[in-house]
Amino acid sequence: MLNRIEAYYDAVPRSSARAEDFGPLTFFVREGTDGWPFYARPTLGRTGGVSVADVERVRARQRELGLPEAFEWVAETSPGLRAAVAASGLVVHAHPLMVLDGDPLPVPEPVDAVVRTVDAADPRLADAVSAPYAAFGATPGPDDARRVGDRIAAGLAVLAAGFDTESGEALAGGQHQPVGDVAEVVGVGTRPGARRRGLGLAVTAALVADARARGVDLVFLTASDASVERLYARLGFRTIATALIAEAPETSETSETSETTEATEATEATEATEATEATERSEGV
């Protein structure tokens, strides 16, 4: 299973980035001036260790291009990389890597909201794209909705969102990115004012259902911490490995703020789900 995930990690950036060879490491460089800046990761199929000098060569190239000094990998498949990356001065964050066997477990319907997928021509596309940004106190760039729409149209991404039944506003959103029979769920977030309504879990369940309908048999995601890990476990996800993300110390401070926000969302979503279940039990539902 981890080999399939490694192959996915190598394949998914290639639709919008070029791969630069640094021996034991591959640096994915985005094409154009906008979009996700990507990262470096272990070269697929390469055996042997990675030295601090190898890491420094990639970091120098990232600085040359004005891109983030970022690395991503799976601890269990590249056990020696963490020491080399940390020795180079980057900060390493560990996150649970989770997979879902079978269909997601049932979750309560979100309160006063409807969850659905959003296609490239949907008039609510920009609103749906902005919802996860709002979850972390950010706003999308001027071309983000267009770029997501292009990826949806090309079959590279699927966007699902939860819409308020009264106002029609997108309250939560997220994506899955299919490559063959593997897909990763990414970017699930809920606007701060719409938390405690079960929207994050409902969006994730909708993304999994869509992936399964497309023939995807391996769905995975990365949780930011133990609180979020427990949230996704309610859908049936289980932890199989540890995803490691390394970045420069100044960038790490921003990431920690985002992780705290996601953990807060997870706690609130869990409390909301538990409260709904308690009410249903008391009513004999």
Side-chain angles (χ1 to χ4, degrees), residues 109-182:
E109 291 292 325
V111 179
D112 296 330
V114 60
V115 175
R116 61 176 177 83
T117 56
V118 178
D119 64 31
D122 196 301
R124 305 300 298 183
L125 174 65
D127 190 26
V129 169
S130 71
Y133 281 85
F136 302 108
T139 55
D143 293 325
D144 281 0
R146 174 196 56 77
R147 185 167 55 253
V148 171
D150 289 346
R151 289 182 61 79
I152 293 170
L156 299 173
V158 174
L159 173 65
F163 295 91
D164 186 88
T165 53
E166 183 175 345
S167 68
E169 180 187 18
L171 304 175
Q175 298 180 43
H176 80 77
Q177 301 178 3
V179 176
D181 57 2
V182 181

Side-chain angles (χ1 to χ4, degrees), residues 27 30 37-40 62-63 66-71 247-248 251:
F27 174 34
R30 69 183 175 197
F38 293 108
Y39 42 76
Q62 290 169 328
R63 290 192 297 270
L67 296 173
E69 297 174 58
F71 294 72
E247 55 194 356
T251 307

Side-chain angles (χ1 to χ4, degrees), residues 15-227:
S15 62
S16 53
R18 70 177 185 272
E20 296 191 359
D21 182 8
F22 285 83
L25 296 168
T26 298
F27 174 34
F28 293 101
V29 183
R30 69 183 175 197
E31 299 287 6
T33 58
D34 64 350
W36 187 251
F38 293 108
Y39 42 76
R41 60 173 292 100
T43 298
L44 185 66
R46 181 75 176 250
T47 59
V50 180
S51 68
V52 177
D54 293 326
V55 175
E56 291 289 359
R57 285 199 305 128
V58 175
R59 292 186 64 186
R61 177 60 170 159
Q62 290 169 328
R63 290 192 297 270
E64 177 187 354
L65 296 175
L67 296 173
E69 297 174 58
F71 294 72
E72 297 188 9
W73 71 100
V74 177
E76 287 75 6
T77 55
S78 303
L81 182 53
R82 182 169 190 164
V85 169
S88 78
L90 296 180
V91 177
V92 180
H93 304 276
H95 306 279
L97 181 63
M98 309 181 74
V99 300
L100 178 66
D101 301 311
D103 294 324
L105 298 175
V107 295
E109 291 292 325
V111 179
D112 296 330
V114 60
V115 175
R116 61 176 177 83
T117 56
V118 178
D119 64 31
D122 196 301
R124 305 300 298 183
L125 174 65
D127 190 26
V129 169
S130 71
Y133 281 85
F136 302 108
T139 55
D143 293 325
D144 281 0
R146 174 196 56 77
R147 185 167 55 253
V148 171
D150 289 346
R151 289 182 61 79
I152 293 170
L156 299 173
V158 174
L159 173 65
F163 295 91
D164 186 88
T165 53
E166 183 175 345
S167 68
E169 180 187 18
L171 304 175
Q175 298 180 43
H176 80 77
Q177 301 178 3
V179 176
D181 57 2
V182 181
E184 181 181 17
V185 174
V186 298
V188 177
T190 304
R191 295 185 190 274
R195 292 173 186 160
R196 298 181 181 272
R197 293 168 62 174
L199 286 161
L201 279 179
V203 166
T204 304
L207 291 169
V208 171
D210 182 272
R212 293 289 192 236
R214 294 169 185 266
V216 170
D217 67 353
L218 176 54
V219 178
F220 75 99
L221 55 79
T222 299
S224 63
D225 60 18
S227 296

